[in-house]
């Protein structure tokens, strides 16, 4: 979703996603989530009970038991936590940079001749 926001906001031509592209992205997200949910069932990693026994999750306690479980948890962290966080930070940084440049352009603009400071602030809002 962050990539969509960045593309729509930072695009100079107003290029936006259409309904088909959004549907494809949603299907991809669901398939990606199902892949990671099914991998322990297929043998890579393992599910185990939560500490209170109310639900199950990845078997965090068995992390050091085998290379199979430790590589699964490491890949899960990198591909399902770290990469999405990096993408979100980069997208929002791009949006903030674009806003900063637009703010500076309006602030230094001569397109608003003889307007008072209050009118310029109002325009920025």
């Amino acid at each position: 979703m962050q990539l969509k926001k960045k593309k729509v906001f930072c695009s100079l031509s107003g290029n936006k996603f259409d309904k088909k592209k959004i549907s494809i992205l949603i299907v991809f997200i669901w398939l990606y989530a199902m892949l990671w949910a099914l991998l322990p069932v297929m043998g890579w990693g393992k599910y185990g009970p939560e500490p209170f026994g109310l639900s199950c999750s990845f078997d965090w306690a068995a992390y050091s038991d085998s290379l199979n479980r430790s590589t699964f948890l490491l890949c899960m962290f990198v591909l399902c936590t770290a990469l999405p966080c990096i993408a979100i930070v980069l997208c929002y940084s791009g949006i903030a940079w674009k806003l900063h440049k637009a703010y500076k352009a309006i602030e230094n603009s001569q397109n608003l001749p003889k307007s008072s400071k209050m009118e310029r602030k109002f325009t920025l809002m």
Side-chain angles (χ1 to χ4, degrees), residues 59-103:
D59 193 1
W60 301 102
Y63 174 73
S64 61
D65 288 351
S66 72
L67 184 63
N68 179 354
R69 293 180 188 141
S70 59
T71 57
F72 174 75
L73 290 175
L74 182 65
C75 288
M76 183 79 165
F77 171 75
V78 170
L79 297 175
C80 297
T81 304
L83 244 53
C85 286
I86 290 169
I88 290 168
V89 167
L90 290 176
C91 288
Y92 276 113
S93 296
I95 291 170
W97 180 250
K98 188 80 169 185
L99 281 173
H100 173 72
K101 286 185 356 184
Y103 175 77

Side-chain angles (χ1 to χ4, degrees), residues 99-113 115-117 119-121 123-125:
L99 281 173
H100 173 72
K101 286 185 356 184
Y103 175 77
K104 289 295 183 188
I106 291 172
E107 190 177 63
N108 299 328
S109 175
Q110 299 303 323
N111 294 338
L112 303 172
S115 61
S116 68
K117 240 183 178 178
E119 287 175 331
R120 284 187 183 198
K121 287 183 179 180
T123 303
L124 287 174
M125 292 166 69

Side-chain angles (χ1 to χ4, degrees), residues 3 29 36 38 41 68:
L3 293 173
I29 290 167
W36 284 100
L38 291 175
V41 175
N68 179 354

